[in-house]
């Protein structure tokens, strides 16, 4: 495996295995392990297929084309306007969630050292420190991400092995599948990596075969991690109780609270250290990968290149709005993951299928790469996406009322 392919796989895995993974045990706890696992697999299949469709459509356009250009050329001006509004909200919601998670982790680490920072300072330092990495470009983000992913996988495997020794089988007996419906948005977002496909296309110099491998392998790794992570967390932490998973759903600081719960039920120093290390890197890798996608999206939408003063304009527009949201609404982590999930299904599942249909069967373009499955696969992807959107919208309205 060449170095660039490995980097692409890890960038996709890093986009997935982030704040969404930390929120999964909290969001899916009431559904139980078996039902949650089935949901993970279904969402992975849908989002991997539509990510390949995104690649198919993107390869029909010049390099540096992003979702705005693709939507305008395939679905017209209304779709372009929809992308500008919903996709921008989606990416800002994700970056806001990861900044909220990052400042939460940073404040928690400082509090353990007896240092108390206000939310605005923790958020600002987090963005300045790691937003600077994003400003350097895809190659530097790739190198930074490789280091973090190596540490992340190592700490995760050791952590899961240690926590697994404290699993109580009766903890697996609770949960009902119907309670997973409100968690659809969080699970879908955890596989919402196709935002980085246009950036990777440039990085891979249009080599479709390597991009396909990167998409499939890079998304399968998170699936395995999610299944194992939920299994050990569900087994070690009960659903009920002051430190239980249901209690975490109401927490203002869910990331820190999850760390506290793991530490409570698995009281070992090494577990506490590994948990804090793993949660910190989860938020960080997702933050840099999603922020890279957001900056490329904004550059495409504003029709500017990321150099000179334009580069700093793009960076400012990328980070200032989500930083303000995260500072003034610190509970943004779980809430924004839920809202972003609804946008994710619309823009990363339904719209790629619609764009691929238009490219293939309406415009009849010659494709350099085409995903298998034909019309039945596209119809099924659109149907499943619409069902998820309807269910998720219902629960978001219920939750807001």
């Amino acid at each position: 495996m060449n170095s660039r392919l490995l980097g692409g796989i890890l960038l996709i895995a890093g986009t997935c295995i982030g704040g969404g993974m930390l929120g999964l045990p909290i969001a899916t706890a009431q559904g139980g392990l078996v039902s949650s696992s089935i949901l993970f697999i279904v969402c992975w299949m849908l989002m991997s297929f539509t990510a390949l469709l995104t690649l198919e459509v993107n390869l029909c356009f010049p390099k540096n084309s992003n979702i705005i250009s693709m939507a305008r050329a395939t679905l017209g001006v209304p779709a372009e306007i929809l992308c500008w509004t919903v996709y921008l909200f989606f990416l800002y919601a994700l970056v806001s969630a990861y900044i909220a998670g990052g400042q939460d982790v940073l404040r928690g680490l400082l509090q353990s050292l007896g240092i108390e920072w206000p939310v605005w300072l923790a958020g600002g330092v987090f963005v300045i420190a790691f937003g600077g990495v994003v400003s350097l470009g895809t190659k530097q983000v790739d190198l930074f991400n490789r280091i973090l992913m190596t540490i992340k996988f190592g700490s995760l495997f050791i952590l899961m092995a240690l926590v697994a020794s404290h699993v109580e089988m009766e903890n697996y007996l609770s949960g009902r599948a119907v309670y997973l419906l409100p968690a659809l948005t969080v699970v879908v977002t955890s596989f919402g990596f196709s935002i980085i496909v246009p950036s990777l296309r440039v990085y891979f110099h249009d080599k479709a075969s390597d991009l396909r491998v990167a998409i499939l392998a890079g998304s399968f790794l998170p699936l395995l991690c999610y299944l194992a992570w939920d299994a050990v967390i569900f087994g070690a932490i009960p659903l009920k109780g002051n430190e239980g998973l249901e209690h975490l759903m109401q927490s203002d600081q869910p990331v820190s609270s999850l760390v506290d719960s793991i530490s409570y039920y698995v009281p070992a120093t090494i577990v506490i250290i590994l948990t804090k290390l793993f949660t910190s890197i989860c938020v960080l890798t997702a933050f840099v990968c999603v922020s890279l996608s957001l900056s490329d999206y904004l550059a495409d939408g504003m029709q500017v290149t990321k150099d000179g003063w334009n580069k700093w304009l793009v960076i400012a527009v990328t980070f200032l709005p989500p930083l303000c949201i995260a500072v003034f609404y610190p509970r943004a982590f779980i809430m924004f993951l839920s809202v972003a999930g609804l946008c994710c299904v619309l823009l990363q599942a339904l719209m790629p299928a619609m764009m691929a249909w238009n490219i293939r069967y309406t415009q009849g373009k010659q494709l350099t790469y085409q995903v298998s499955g034909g019309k039945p696969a596209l119809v099924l992807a659109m149907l499943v996406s619409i069902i998820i959107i309807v269910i998720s919208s219902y629960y978001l309205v219920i939750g807001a009322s």
Side-chain angles (χ1 to χ4, degrees), residues 16-255:
C16 291
I17 307 176
M21 182 169 180
L22 302 179
L24 285 177
I26 303 172
T28 61
Q30 294 180 313
L33 180 61
V34 175
S35 299
S36 298
S37 300
I38 294 173
L39 179 61
F40 291 159
I41 293 171
V42 171
C43 289
W44 169 74
M45 293 173 64
L46 173 66
M47 301 308 288
S48 296
F49 176 71
T50 54
L52 292 173
L53 293 178
T54 301
L55 172 63
E56 175 185 318
V57 175
N58 190 255
L59 287 171
C60 294
F61 300 96
K63 286 185 178 181
N64 297 311
S65 297
N66 213 292
I67 188 69
I68 296 176
S69 302
M70 294 159 58
R72 180 174 59 247
T74 57
L75 303 177
V77 175
E80 179 186 7
I81 296 172
L82 178 67
C83 280
W84 253 118
T85 54
V86 180
Y87 213 90
L88 189 62
F89 177 81
F90 165 65
L91 288 175
Y92 272 144
L94 277 183
V95 176
S96 298
Y98 294 139
I99 292 175
Q103 69 191 19
D104 180 17
V105 170
L106 180 57
R107 290 184 71 206
L109 291 174
L110 291 172
Q111 286 171 355
S112 66
L113 299 174
I115 303 172
E116 190 69 38
W117 273 14
V119 172
W120 66 267
L121 180 57
V125 169
F126 179 83
V127 169
I128 291 172
F130 302 111
V133 177
V134 177
S135 69
L136 298 177
T138 304
K139 183 176 181 180
Q140 285 68 30
V141 170
D142 176 22
L143 295 174
F144 182 68
N145 184 68
R146 291 190 197 194
I147 297 171
L148 292 180
M149 289 297 291
T150 301
I151 301 172
K152 178 192 288 187
F153 281 127
S155 61
L156 175 61
F157 293 146
I158 298 172
L159 176 61
M160 288 194 298
L162 293 172
V163 174
S165 63
H166 291 74
V167 164
E168 300 289 342
M169 296 307 296
E170 58 265 26
N171 289 342
Y172 291 128
L173 301 179
S174 59
R176 294 176 57 191
V178 68
Y179 291 134
L180 283 176
L181 293 178
L184 274 173
T185 52
V186 177
V187 178
V188 167
T189 306
S190 300
F191 291 103
F193 62 90
S194 67
I195 53 175
I196 203 171
V197 169
S199 301
L200 288 178
R201 180 251 178 117
V202 176
Y203 189 45
F204 277 85
H205 304 298
D206 291 356
K207 193 171 182 180
S209 58
D210 282 357
L211 282 162
R212 181 176 182 274
V213 172
I215 288 171
L216 294 177
S219 61
F220 188 68
L221 277 176
L223 173 64
L224 295 179
C225 291
Y226 295 161
L227 293 172
W229 178 246
D230 258 25
V232 296
I233 295 300
F234 284 3
I237 302 176
L239 185 61
K240 307 291 184 178
N242 292 333
E243 297 290 338
L245 292 171
E246 279 189 347
H247 173 71
L248 302 186
M249 298 178 69
Q250 309 302 323
S251 174
D252 288 341
Q253 296 181 312
V255 178

Side-chain angles (χ1 to χ4, degrees), residues 252-369:
D252 288 341
Q253 296 181 312
V255 178
S256 297
S257 298
L258 178 61
V259 173
D260 293 339
S261 291
I262 294 174
S263 304
Y264 179 82
Y265 288 101
V266 190
T269 303
I270 184 63
V271 170
I272 297 173
I273 294 173
L274 286 172
T275 303
K276 291 181 178 180
L277 176 63
F278 175 68
T279 53
S280 301
I281 295 179
C282 272
V283 172
L284 188 52
T285 54
F287 170 75
V288 295
C289 292
V290 174
S291 297
L292 174 65
S293 301
L294 175 57
S295 65
D296 286 344
Y297 166 83
L298 289 170
D300 175 52
M302 294 186 294
Q303 298 183 343
V304 298
T305 56
K306 293 197 295 183
D307 52 25
W309 285 107
N310 286 337
K311 172 182 177 180
W312 297 111
L313 172 63
V314 171
I315 291 298
V317 177
T318 297
F319 292 115
L320 287 180
L323 175 60
C324 292
I325 293 171
V327 167
F328 290 106
Y329 190 69
R331 292 191 65 181
F333 189 70
I334 292 296
M335 190 276 286
F336 275 145
L337 284 178
S338 297
V339 175
L342 181 60
C343 301
C344 182
V345 180
L346 174 64
L347 297 167
Q348 295 192 55
L350 179 59
M351 188 166 285
M354 294 173 63
M355 290 191 295
W357 184 284
N358 185 281
I359 286 287
R360 294 181 193 177
Y361 307 119
T362 303
Q363 298 184 11
K365 283 193 174 184
Q366 287 294 111
L367 302 175
T368 58
Y369 168 73

